[in-house]
Amino acid sequence: TSLIEVMIAGFLFVVGLLGLLATQGLAIKMSNSSSMHTSATILVSELYDRVKANPVAMEAGHYTTANFKAADWGGVRDCSNVELTCTPLQQAMFDQARWKASLESQFPSNVTATIVRTAAANSQFQVNIIWQDAIQTDVNQDFQEDNKSSNCANGADRPANEKAVCALMDFGTMGV
């Protein structure tokens, strides 16, 4: 009987260990997901600061771009050198190129970022950062992955594991 008890104890130990390993894997995925969301939030905040520091370019619409993946930023003037004088347009292009580089270094290749001036006012911009997450989503808790995303970048046929940070930046009248 002691051999059976040892086998049962070993079996329970293995089952507990497998459960612990499964929990560890989920914890790593959740940590990565949280880190990406935090990075996106910081990037939106950084963009807000860059736009606010260049009100002339903001008013002229230089910070609006449809999609950073499609833009060519190869010939952008380096405005980080304080000895160079940059126009508001050159500063805006430099800011966006730096922002795009930060975005691409912190997110997988499937990230999409858009900055769109809203129709409501010239001083408002909608910023969306959208990426695919490793964690599957089951919002209605029916033990099946949902077919559509429930994030702020609403739209038809978006996958359930799509995550996004969407922000409306409102600068009001900045006296330009």
Side-chain angles (χ1 to χ4, degrees), residues 13-107:
F13 177 74
V14 168
V15 167
L17 191 60
L18 289 174
L20 182 63
L21 290 175
T23 303
Q24 182 69 17
L26 181 60
I28 290 170
K29 283 183 183 180
M30 296 288 279
S31 176
N32 288 341
S33 178
S34 176
S35 175
M36 291 178 85
H37 192 274
T38 300
S39 293
T41 303
I42 290 170
L43 282 170
V44 168
S45 177
E46 177 186 320
L47 181 65
Y48 177 84
D49 291 340
R50 287 179 182 273
V51 174
K52 190 173 180 181
N54 193 356
V56 173
M58 183 271 300
E59 291 289 338
H62 296 314
Y63 281 96
T64 302
T65 184
N67 189 331
F68 282 99
K69 293 290 185 185
D72 177 22
W73 303 104
V76 173
R77 183 178 179 143
D78 182 5
C79 294
S80 65
N81 185 346
V82 293
E83 295 177 7
L84 295 177
T85 302
C86 289
T87 66
L89 172 60
Q90 290 170 330
Q91 184 66 50
M93 295 292 286
F94 175 74
D95 290 345
Q96 291 178 60
R98 293 281 300 263
W99 195 74
K100 177 183 179 276
S102 294
L103 185 74
E104 289 180 344
S105 70
Q106 296 177 34
F107 283 87

Coordinates of all heavy atoms in Angstrom, one line a residue, residues 13-107:
F13 N 1.7 15.6 -7.3 CA 2.8 16.6 -7.4 C 3.0 17.0 -8.9 O 3.2 18.2 -9.2 CB 4.1 16.0 -6.9 CG 5.3 16.8 -7.0 CD1 5.5 18.0 -6.2 CD2 6.3 16.6 -8.0 CE1 6.6 18.8 -6.4 CE2 7.4 17.4 -8.2 CZ 7.5 18.5 -7.3
V14 N 3.0 16.1 -9.8 CA 3.1 16.4 -11.2 C 2.0 17.2 -11.7 O 2.2 18.2 -12.5 CB 3.3 15.1 -12.1 CG1 3.2 15.3 -13.6 CG2 4.6 14.4 -11.8
V15 N 0.8 16.9 -11.3 CA -0.4 17.7 -11.8 C -0.3 19.1 -11.2 O -0.5 20.1 -11.9 CB -1.7 17.0 -11.3 CG1 -2.9 18.0 -11.4 CG2 -2.0 15.8 -12.0
G16 N 0.1 19.3 -10.0 CA 0.3 20.6 -9.4 C 1.4 21.4 -10.1 O 1.3 22.6 -10.4
L17 N 2.5 20.7 -10.5 CA 3.6 21.3 -11.2 C 3.2 21.8 -12.6 O 3.6 22.9 -13.0 CB 4.8 20.3 -11.3 CG 6.1 20.9 -11.7 CD1 6.6 22.0 -10.8 CD2 7.2 19.8 -11.8
L18 N 2.4 21.0 -13.3 CA 1.9 21.3 -14.6 C 1.0 22.6 -14.5 O 1.0 23.4 -15.3 CB 1.2 20.2 -15.2 CG 2.1 19.0 -15.7 CD1 1.3 17.9 -16.2 CD2 3.1 19.5 -16.8
G19 N 0.2 22.6 -13.5 CA -0.7 23.8 -13.2 C 0.1 25.0 -13.0 O -0.2 26.1 -13.5
L20 N 1.2 24.9 -12.2 CA 2.0 26.0 -11.9 C 2.7 26.5 -13.2 O 2.8 27.7 -13.4 CB 3.1 25.6 -10.9 CG 4.1 26.7 -10.4 CD1 3.3 27.8 -9.7 CD2 5.1 26.1 -9.5
L21 N 3.2 25.6 -14.0 CA 3.8 26.0 -15.3 C 2.8 26.7 -16.2 O 3.2 27.7 -16.9 CB 4.4 24.8 -16.0 CG 5.7 24.2 -15.3 CD1 6.1 22.9 -16.0 CD2 6.8 25.2 -15.3
A22 N 1.6 26.2 -16.3 CA 0.6 26.8 -17.1 C 0.3 28.3 -16.7 O 0.2 29.2 -17.5 CB -0.7 26.0 -17.2
T23 N 0.2 28.4 -15.3 CA 0.0 29.7 -14.8 C 1.2 30.7 -15.1 O 1.0 31.9 -15.4 CB -0.2 29.6 -13.2 OG1 -1.3 28.7 -13.0 CG2 -0.5 30.9 -12.6
Q24 N 2.4 30.2 -15.0 CA 3.6 31.0 -15.3 C 3.5 31.5 -16.8 O 3.8 32.6 -17.0 CB 4.8 30.2 -15.1 CG 6.1 30.9 -15.3 CD 6.3 32.0 -14.3 OE1 5.7 32.1 -13.2 NE2 7.2 33.0 -14.6
G25 N 3.2 30.6 -17.7 CA 3.1 31.0 -19.1 C 2.0 32.1 -19.3 O 2.3 33.1 -20.0
L26 N 0.9 32.0 -18.7 CA -0.1 33.0 -18.8 C 0.3 34.3 -18.1 O 0.1 35.4 -18.7 CB -1.4 32.5 -18.1 CG -2.6 33.5 -18.2 CD1 -3.0 33.8 -19.6 CD2 -3.8 32.9 -17.4
A27 N 1.0 34.2 -17.0 CA 1.6 35.4 -16.4 C 2.5 36.2 -17.3 O 2.5 37.4 -17.3 CB 2.2 35.1 -15.1
I28 N 3.4 35.5 -18.0 CA 4.3 36.1 -18.9 C 3.6 36.8 -20.0 O 3.9 37.9 -20.4 CB 5.3 35.1 -19.5 CG1 6.3 34.6 -18.3 CG2 6.1 35.6 -20.6 CD1 7.2 33.5 -18.7
K29 N 2.5 36.1 -20.6 CA 1.8 36.7 -21.7 C 1.1 38.0 -21.2 O 1.0 39.0 -21.9 CB 0.7 35.8 -22.2 CG 1.3 34.7 -23.1 CD 0.1 33.8 -23.7 CE 0.6 32.7 -24.5 NZ -0.5 31.9 -25.0
M30 N 0.5 37.9 -20.0 CA -0.2 39.1 -19.4 C 0.8 40.2 -19.2 O 0.4 41.4 -19.4 CB -0.9 38.7 -18.1 CG -2.0 37.7 -18.3 SD -3.5 38.4 -19.1 CE -4.3 39.1 -17.7
S31 N 2.0 39.9 -18.7 CA 3.0 40.9 -18.4 C 3.4 41.6 -19.7 O 3.5 42.8 -19.8 CB 4.2 40.3 -17.8 OG 5.2 41.2 -17.6
N32 N 3.6 40.8 -20.8 CA 3.9 41.4 -22.1 C 2.8 42.3 -22.6 O 3.1 43.4 -23.2 CB 4.3 40.3 -23.1 CG 5.6 39.6 -22.8 OD1 6.4 40.2 -22.1 ND2 5.8 38.4 -23.4
S33 N 1.6 41.8 -22.5 CA 0.4 42.6 -22.9 C 0.4 43.9 -22.2 O 0.1 45.0 -22.8 CB -0.9 41.8 -22.7 OG -2.0 42.6 -23.1
S34 N 0.5 43.9 -20.9 CA 0.5 45.1 -20.1 C 1.6 46.1 -20.4 O 1.5 47.3 -20.5 CB 0.6 44.7 -18.6 OG 0.7 45.9 -17.8
S35 N 2.8 45.5 -20.7 CA 4.0 46.3 -21.1 C 3.7 47.0 -22.4 O 4.1 48.2 -22.5 CB 5.2 45.4 -21.2 OG 6.3 46.1 -21.6
M36 N 3.1 46.3 -23.3 CA 2.8 47.0 -24.6 C 1.8 48.1 -24.5 O 1.9 49.1 -25.1 CB 2.4 45.9 -25.6 CG 3.5 45.0 -26.0 SD 3.0 43.7 -27.2 CE 3.1 44.6 -28.7
H37 N 0.8 47.9 -23.6 CA -0.2 48.9 -23.4 C 0.4 50.1 -22.8 O 0.1 51.3 -23.1 CB -1.4 48.3 -22.6 CG -2.6 49.2 -22.5 ND1 -2.7 50.2 -21.6 CD2 -3.7 49.3 -23.3 CE1 -3.8 50.9 -21.8 NE2 -4.4 50.3 -22.8
T38 N 1.3 49.9 -21.8 CA 2.0 51.0 -21.1 C 2.9 51.8 -22.1 O 2.9 53.0 -22.1 CB 2.8 50.5 -20.0 OG1 1.9 49.8 -19.0 CG2 3.6 51.6 -19.3
S39 N 3.6 51.0 -23.0 CA 4.4 51.7 -24.0 C 3.6 52.5 -24.9 O 4.0 53.6 -25.3 CB 5.2 50.6 -24.8 OG 6.1 49.9 -24.0
A40 N 2.4 52.0 -25.4 CA 1.6 52.8 -26.3 C 1.1 54.1 -25.6 O 1.0 55.1 -26.2 CB 0.4 51.9 -26.7
T41 N 0.7 54.0 -24.3 CA 0.3 55.1 -23.6 C 1.4 56.2 -23.5 O 1.1 57.4 -23.6 CB -0.2 54.7 -22.2 OG1 -1.3 53.7 -22.4 CG2 -0.8 55.9 -21.4
I42 N 2.6 55.7 -23.2 CA 3.7 56.7 -23.1 C 4.0 57.3 -24.4 O 4.3 58.5 -24.5 CB 5.0 55.9 -22.5 CG1 4.7 55.6 -21.1 CG2 6.2 56.7 -22.7 CD1 5.8 54.6 -20.5
L43 N 3.9 56.5 -25.5 CA 4.1 57.1 -26.8 C 3.1 58.2 -27.2 O 3.4 59.2 -27.8 CB 4.1 56.0 -27.9 CG 5.4 55.2 -28.0 CD1 5.2 54.0 -28.9 CD2 6.6 56.0 -28.5
V44 N 1.8 58.0 -26.8 CA 0.8 59.0 -27.1 C 1.1 60.2 -26.3 O 1.0 61.4 -26.8 CB -0.6 58.4 -26.7 CG1 -1.6 59.6 -26.7 CG2 -1.0 57.4 -27.7
S45 N 1.6 60.1 -25.0 CA 1.9 61.2 -24.2 C 3.1 62.0 -24.8 O 3.2 63.2 -24.8 CB 2.3 60.7 -22.8 OG 2.7 61.8 -22.0
E46 N 4.1 61.2 -25.3 CA 5.3 61.8 -25.9 C 4.9 62.6 -27.1 O 5.3 63.7 -27.4 CB 6.3 60.7 -26.3 CG 7.5 61.2 -27.0 CD 8.4 60.1 -27.5 OE1 8.6 59.1 -26.8 OE2 8.9 60.2 -28.6
L47 N 4.0 62.1 -28.0 CA 3.5 62.8 -29.1 C 2.8 64.0 -28.7 O 3.0 65.1 -29.4 CB 2.6 61.9 -30.0 CG 2.1 62.5 -31.3 CD1 3.2 62.8 -32.2 CD2 1.1 61.6 -31.9
Y48 N 2.0 64.0 -27.7 CA 1.2 65.2 -27.2 C 2.2 66.3 -26.9 O 2.0 67.4 -27.3 CB 0.4 64.8 -26.0 CG -0.3 66.0 -25.4 CD1 -1.6 66.4 -25.9 CD2 0.2 66.7 -24.3 CE1 -2.2 67.5 -25.4 CE2 -0.5 67.8 -23.8 CZ -1.7 68.1 -24.3 OH -2.3 69.2 -23.8
D49 N 3.3 65.9 -26.2 CA 4.3 66.9 -25.8 C 5.0 67.5 -27.0 O 5.3 68.7 -27.1 CB 5.3 66.3 -24.8 CG 4.8 66.0 -23.5 OD1 3.7 66.6 -23.1 OD2 5.4 65.2 -22.7
R50 N 5.3 66.7 -28.0 CA 6.0 67.1 -29.2 C 5.1 68.1 -30.0 O 5.5 69.1 -30.5 CB 6.4 66.0 -30.1 CG 7.5 65.2 -29.5 CD 7.9 64.0 -30.5 NE 8.9 63.2 -30.0 CZ 10.2 63.4 -30.2 NH1 10.6 64.4 -30.9 NH2 11.1 62.6 -29.7
V51 N 3.8 67.8 -30.1 CA 2.9 68.6 -30.9 C 2.7 69.9 -30.1 O 2.7 71.0 -30.7 CB 1.5 67.9 -31.1 CG1 0.5 68.8 -31.7 CG2 1.7 66.7 -32.0
K52 N 2.5 69.8 -28.8 CA 2.3 71.1 -28.0 C 3.5 72.0 -28.1 O 3.3 73.2 -28.0 CB 2.0 70.6 -26.6 CG 1.5 71.8 -25.7 CD 1.1 71.3 -24.3 CE 0.6 72.5 -23.5 NZ 0.3 72.0 -22.1
A53 N 4.7 71.5 -28.2 CA 5.9 72.3 -28.3 C 6.0 73.0 -29.7 O 6.9 73.8 -29.8 CB 7.1 71.5 -28.0
N54 N 5.2 72.6 -30.7 CA 5.3 73.1 -32.0 C 4.0 73.6 -32.5 O 3.4 73.0 -33.4 CB 5.9 72.1 -32.9 CG 6.4 72.6 -34.3 OD1 6.2 73.8 -34.6 ND2 7.0 71.7 -35.1
P55 N 3.4 74.6 -31.9 CA 2.0 75.0 -32.2 C 1.8 75.5 -33.7 O 0.8 75.3 -34.2 CB 1.7 76.1 -31.2 CG 3.0 76.6 -30.8 CD 4.0 75.5 -30.9
V56 N 2.8 76.1 -34.3 CA 2.7 76.6 -35.6 C 2.5 75.4 -36.6 O 1.6 75.4 -37.4 CB 4.0 77.4 -36.1 CG1 3.9 77.7 -37.5 CG2 4.1 78.6 -35.2
A57 N 3.3 74.3 -36.4 CA 3.1 73.1 -37.2 C 1.8 72.4 -36.9 O 1.2 71.9 -37.8 CB 4.3 72.2 -37.0
M58 N 1.4 72.4 -35.7 CA 0.1 71.8 -35.3 C -1.0 72.5 -36.0 O -1.9 71.9 -36.6 CB -0.1 71.8 -33.8 CG -1.3 71.1 -33.3 SD -2.8 72.1 -33.2 CE -2.3 73.4 -32.0
E59 N -1.1 73.8 -36.0 CA -2.1 74.6 -36.6 C -2.1 74.4 -38.1 O -3.2 74.4 -38.7 CB -2.0 76.1 -36.3 CG -2.3 76.4 -34.8 CD -3.7 76.3 -34.4 OE1 -4.6 76.4 -35.3 OE2 -4.0 76.1 -33.2
A60 N -0.9 74.2 -38.7 CA -0.9 74.0 -40.1 C -1.2 72.6 -40.6 O -1.2 72.3 -41.7 CB 0.6 74.4 -40.6
G61 N -1.3 71.7 -39.6 CA -1.7 70.3 -39.9 C -0.5 69.4 -40.2 O -0.7 68.4 -40.8
H62 N 0.7 69.8 -39.9 CA 1.9 69.0 -40.2 C 2.0 67.8 -39.4 O 2.8 66.9 -39.7 CB 3.1 69.9 -40.1 CG 3.2 71.0 -41.0 ND1 2.9 70.9 -42.4 CD2 3.5 72.3 -40.8 CE1 3.1 72.1 -43.0 NE2 3.4 73.0 -42.0
Y63 N 1.3 67.6 -38.3 CA 1.4 66.4 -37.5 C 0.4 65.4 -37.9 O 0.3 64.3 -37.3 CB 1.2 66.8 -36.0 CG 2.5 67.3 -35.4 CD1 2.7 68.7 -35.3 CD2 3.5 66.5 -35.0 CE1 3.8 69.2 -34.8 CE2 4.7 67.0 -34.5 CZ 4.8 68.4 -34.4 OH 6.0 68.9 -33.8
T64 N -0.4 65.6 -38.9 CA -1.4 64.6 -39.3 C -0.8 63.7 -40.4 O -0.3 64.2 -41.4 CB -2.6 65.4 -39.9 OG1 -3.1 66.3 -38.9 CG2 -3.7 64.4 -40.3
T65 N -0.9 62.4 -40.2 CA -0.5 61.5 -41.2 C -1.5 60.3 -41.1 O -2.0 59.9 -40.1 CB 1.0 61.0 -40.9 OG1 1.3 60.1 -42.0 CG2 1.1 60.3 -39.6
A66 N -1.7 59.7 -42.3 CA -2.7 58.6 -42.3 C -2.1 57.3 -41.7 O -2.8 56.6 -41.0 CB -3.1 58.4 -43.8
N67 N -0.9 57.0 -42.0 CA -0.3 55.7 -41.5 C 1.2 55.8 -41.6 O 1.8 56.0 -42.6 CB -0.8 54.6 -42.4 CG -0.5 53.2 -41.9 OD1 0.5 53.1 -41.1 ND2 -1.3 52.2 -42.2
F68 N 1.8 55.6 -40.4 CA 3.3 55.7 -40.3 C 4.0 54.6 -41.1 O 5.1 54.8 -41.5 CB 3.7 55.7 -38.9 CG 3.5 56.9 -38.2 CD1 2.4 57.1 -37.3 CD2 4.3 58.0 -38.3 CE1 2.1 58.3 -36.7 CE2 4.1 59.2 -37.7 CZ 3.0 59.4 -36.9
K69 N 3.4 53.5 -41.4 CA 4.1 52.5 -42.1 C 4.2 52.9 -43.6 O 5.2 52.5 -44.2 CB 3.2 51.2 -42.1 CG 3.2 50.5 -40.7 CD 4.5 50.0 -40.3 CE 4.5 49.3 -39.0 NZ 5.8 48.8 -38.6
A70 N 3.3 53.7 -44.1 CA 3.4 54.1 -45.5 C 4.3 55.3 -45.7 O 4.6 55.6 -46.9 CB 2.0 54.4 -46.0
A71 N 4.6 56.0 -44.7 CA 5.4 57.3 -44.8 C 6.9 57.0 -45.1 O 7.4 56.0 -44.6 CB 5.2 58.1 -43.6
D72 N 7.5 57.9 -45.8 CA 8.9 57.8 -46.1 C 9.6 58.8 -45.2 O 9.5 60.0 -45.5 CB 9.2 57.9 -47.5 CG 10.7 57.9 -47.8 OD1 11.5 57.3 -47.0 OD2 11.1 58.4 -48.9
W73 N 10.4 58.4 -44.2 CA 11.0 59.4 -43.4 C 12.6 59.4 -43.6 O 13.3 59.9 -42.7 CB 10.8 59.0 -41.9 CG 9.3 58.9 -41.6 CD1 8.6 57.8 -41.5 CD2 8.4 60.0 -41.4 NE1 7.2 58.1 -41.2 CE2 7.1 59.5 -41.2 CE3 8.5 61.4 -41.5 CZ2 6.0 60.2 -41.0 CZ3 7.4 62.2 -41.3 CH2 6.2 61.6 -41.0
G74 N 13.0 58.9 -44.7 CA 14.5 58.8 -45.0 C 15.2 60.2 -45.0 O 16.3 60.3 -44.5
G75 N 14.6 61.2 -45.6 CA 15.3 62.5 -45.8 C 15.0 63.5 -44.7 O 15.0 64.7 -45.0
V76 N 14.6 63.1 -43.5 CA 14.2 64.1 -42.5 C 15.5 64.7 -41.9 O 16.5 64.1 -41.6 CB 13.4 63.3 -41.4 CG1 13.1 64.2 -40.2 CG2 12.1 62.8 -42.0
R77 N 15.4 66.0 -41.7 CA 16.5 66.8 -41.1 C 16.5 66.5 -39.6 O 15.5 66.5 -38.9 CB 16.2 68.3 -41.4 CG 17.3 69.2 -40.8 CD 17.1 70.6 -41.2 NE 18.1 71.4 -40.6 CZ 18.6 72.5 -41.2 NH1 18.1 72.9 -42.4 NH2 19.6 73.2 -40.7
D78 N 17.7 66.4 -39.1 CA 17.9 66.1 -37.7 C 17.8 67.4 -36.9 O 18.7 68.2 -36.8 CB 19.3 65.5 -37.4 CG 19.5 65.1 -36.0 OD1 18.6 65.2 -35.2 OD2 20.6 64.6 -35.7
C79 N 16.6 67.6 -36.3 CA 16.4 68.8 -35.5 C 16.8 68.7 -34.0 O 16.5 69.6 -33.2 CB 14.9 69.2 -35.6 SG 14.4 69.7 -37.3
S80 N 17.4 67.6 -33.7 CA 17.9 67.4 -32.3 C 19.2 68.2 -32.0 O 19.5 68.5 -30.9 CB 18.1 65.9 -31.9 OG 19.1 65.4 -32.7
N81 N 19.8 68.6 -33.1 CA 21.1 69.4 -33.0 C 20.7 70.8 -32.7 O 20.0 71.5 -33.6 CB 21.9 69.3 -34.3 CG 23.2 70.0 -34.2 OD1 23.5 70.8 -33.3 ND2 24.1 69.7 -35.1
V82 N 21.0 71.4 -31.6 CA 20.6 72.7 -31.2 C 21.3 73.8 -32.0 O 20.8 74.9 -32.1 CB 20.8 73.0 -29.7 CG1 20.0 72.1 -28.8 CG2 22.3 72.8 -29.3
E83 N 22.3 73.4 -32.7 CA 23.0 74.4 -33.6 C 22.3 74.6 -34.9 O 22.5 75.6 -35.6 CB 24.5 74.0 -33.8 CG 25.3 74.0 -32.5 CD 26.7 73.5 -32.7 OE1 27.1 73.3 -33.9 OE2 27.4 73.3 -31.7
L84 N 21.4 73.7 -35.3 CA 20.6 73.8 -36.5 C 19.3 74.5 -36.2 O 18.7 74.3 -35.2 CB 20.3 72.4 -37.1 CG 21.5 71.6 -37.6 CD1 21.0 70.2 -38.1 CD2 22.3 72.3 -38.7
T85 N 18.9 75.3 -37.2 CA 17.6 75.9 -37.1 C 16.7 75.2 -38.0 O 16.9 75.0 -39.2 CB 17.7 77.4 -37.5 OG1 18.7 78.1 -36.7 CG2 16.3 78.1 -37.4
C86 N 15.6 74.7 -37.4 CA 14.6 74.0 -38.2 C 13.3 74.8 -38.3 O 12.9 75.5 -37.3 CB 14.3 72.6 -37.5 SG 15.6 71.5 -37.6
T87 N 12.6 74.7 -39.4 CA 11.3 75.3 -39.6 C 10.3 74.5 -38.8 O 10.6 73.3 -38.5 CB 10.9 75.4 -41.1 OG1 10.8 74.0 -41.5 CG2 12.0 76.1 -41.9
P88 N 9.1 75.0 -38.5 CA 8.1 74.2 -37.9 C 7.8 72.9 -38.6 O 7.6 71.9 -38.0 CB 6.9 75.1 -37.8 CG 7.5 76.5 -37.7 CD 8.7 76.4 -38.6
L89 N 7.8 73.0 -40.0 CA 7.5 71.8 -40.7 C 8.6 70.8 -40.6 O 8.4 69.6 -40.3 CB 7.4 72.1 -42.2 CG 7.3 70.9 -43.2 CD1 6.1 70.0 -42.8 CD2 7.3 71.3 -44.6
Q90 N 9.9 71.2 -40.6 CA 11.0 70.3 -40.4 C 11.0 69.7 -39.0 O 11.3 68.5 -38.8 CB 12.4 71.0 -40.6 CG 12.6 71.4 -42.1 CD 13.8 72.3 -42.3 OE1 14.1 73.1 -41.4 NE2 14.5 72.2 -43.4
Q91 N 10.6 70.5 -38.0 CA 10.6 70.0 -36.6 C 9.4 68.9 -36.5 O 9.6 67.9 -35.9 CB 10.3 71.1 -35.7 CG 10.3 70.7 -34.2 CD 11.6 70.2 -33.7 OE1 12.7 70.8 -33.9 NE2 11.7 69.0 -33.1
A92 N 8.3 69.2 -37.2 CA 7.2 68.2 -37.2 C 7.6 66.9 -37.8 O 7.3 65.8 -37.3 CB 6.0 68.8 -37.8
M93 N 8.3 67.0 -39.0 CA 8.7 65.8 -39.6 C 9.7 65.0 -38.8 O 9.7 63.8 -38.7 CB 9.4 66.2 -41.0 CG 8.4 66.8 -42.0 SD 7.2 65.6 -42.6 CE 8.1 64.6 -43.6
F94 N 10.7 65.8 -38.1 CA 11.6 65.1 -37.3 C 10.9 64.4 -36.1 O 11.2 63.3 -35.7 CB 12.6 66.1 -36.8 CG 13.6 65.6 -35.8 CD1 14.6 64.8 -36.1 CD2 13.5 65.9 -34.4 CE1 15.5 64.2 -35.2 CE2 14.4 65.4 -33.5 CZ 15.4 64.6 -33.9
D95 N 10.0 65.2 -35.5 CA 9.2 64.6 -34.3 C 8.5 63.3 -34.7 O 8.5 62.3 -34.0 CB 8.2 65.6 -33.8 CG 8.8 66.8 -33.1 OD1 10.0 66.7 -32.8 OD2 8.1 67.8 -32.9
Q96 N 7.9 63.3 -35.9 CA 7.1 62.1 -36.3 C 8.1 61.0 -36.7 O 7.8 59.8 -36.4 CB 6.3 62.5 -37.5 CG 5.1 63.4 -37.2 CD 4.3 63.8 -38.3 OE1 3.7 62.9 -39.0 NE2 4.2 65.1 -38.6
A97 N 9.2 61.3 -37.3 CA 10.2 60.3 -37.6 C 10.7 59.6 -36.3 O 10.9 58.4 -36.2 CB 11.4 60.8 -38.4
R98 N 11.0 60.4 -35.3 CA 11.5 59.9 -34.0 C 10.4 59.1 -33.3 O 10.7 58.0 -32.7 CB 11.9 61.0 -33.0 CG 13.1 61.8 -33.5 CD 14.4 61.1 -33.2 NE 14.6 60.8 -31.8 CZ 15.3 61.6 -31.0 NH1 16.0 62.6 -31.4 NH2 15.5 61.2 -29.7
W99 N 9.1 59.6 -33.4 CA 8.0 58.8 -32.8 C 7.8 57.5 -33.5 O 7.6 56.5 -32.9 CB 6.8 59.7 -32.9 CG 5.7 59.3 -32.1 CD1 5.6 59.4 -30.7 CD2 4.4 58.6 -32.5 NE1 4.4 58.9 -30.3 CE2 3.7 58.4 -31.3 CE3 4.0 58.2 -33.7 CZ2 2.4 57.8 -31.4 CZ3 2.7 57.6 -33.7 CH2 2.0 57.4 -32.6
K100 N 7.9 57.5 -34.8 CA 7.8 56.3 -35.6 C 8.9 55.3 -35.2 O 8.6 54.1 -35.1 CB 7.8 56.6 -37.1 CG 7.8 55.3 -38.0 CD 7.9 55.7 -39.4 CE 7.9 54.5 -40.3 NZ 9.1 53.8 -40.5
A101 N 10.1 55.8 -35.1 CA 11.2 54.9 -34.7 C 11.0 54.3 -33.3 O 11.2 53.1 -33.1 CB 12.5 55.7 -34.7
S102 N 10.5 55.1 -32.4 CA 10.2 54.6 -31.0 C 9.1 53.5 -31.1 O 9.1 52.5 -30.5 CB 9.7 55.7 -30.1 OG 10.8 56.6 -29.9
L103 N 8.1 53.8 -31.9 CA 6.9 52.9 -32.1 C 7.4 51.5 -32.6 O 7.1 50.5 -32.1 CB 5.9 53.5 -33.1 CG 4.6 52.8 -33.3 CD1 3.7 52.9 -32.1 CD2 3.9 53.3 -34.5
E104 N 8.2 51.6 -33.7 CA 8.7 50.3 -34.3 C 9.7 49.6 -33.4 O 9.8 48.3 -33.5 CB 9.4 50.6 -35.6 CG 8.3 51.0 -36.7 CD 8.9 51.4 -38.0 OE1 10.2 51.6 -38.1 OE2 8.2 51.4 -39.0
S105 N 10.4 50.3 -32.5 CA 11.4 49.6 -31.7 C 10.7 48.9 -30.5 O 11.2 47.9 -29.9 CB 12.4 50.5 -31.2 OG 11.9 51.4 -30.2
Q106 N 9.5 49.4 -30.1 CA 8.8 48.9 -28.9 C 7.6 47.9 -29.3 O 7.1 47.3 -28.4 CB 8.2 50.0 -28.1 CG 9.3 50.9 -27.5 CD 8.8 52.1 -26.8 OE1 7.8 52.0 -26.1 NE2 9.5 53.2 -26.8
F107 N 7.3 47.8 -30.5 CA 6.1 47.0 -30.9 C 6.5 46.0 -32.0 O 7.5 46.2 -32.7 CB 5.0 47.8 -31.4 CG 4.2 48.5 -30.3 CD1 4.6 49.7 -29.8 CD2 3.1 47.9 -29.7 CE1 4.0 50.4 -28.8 CE2 2.4 48.5 -28.7 CZ 2.9 49.8 -28.2

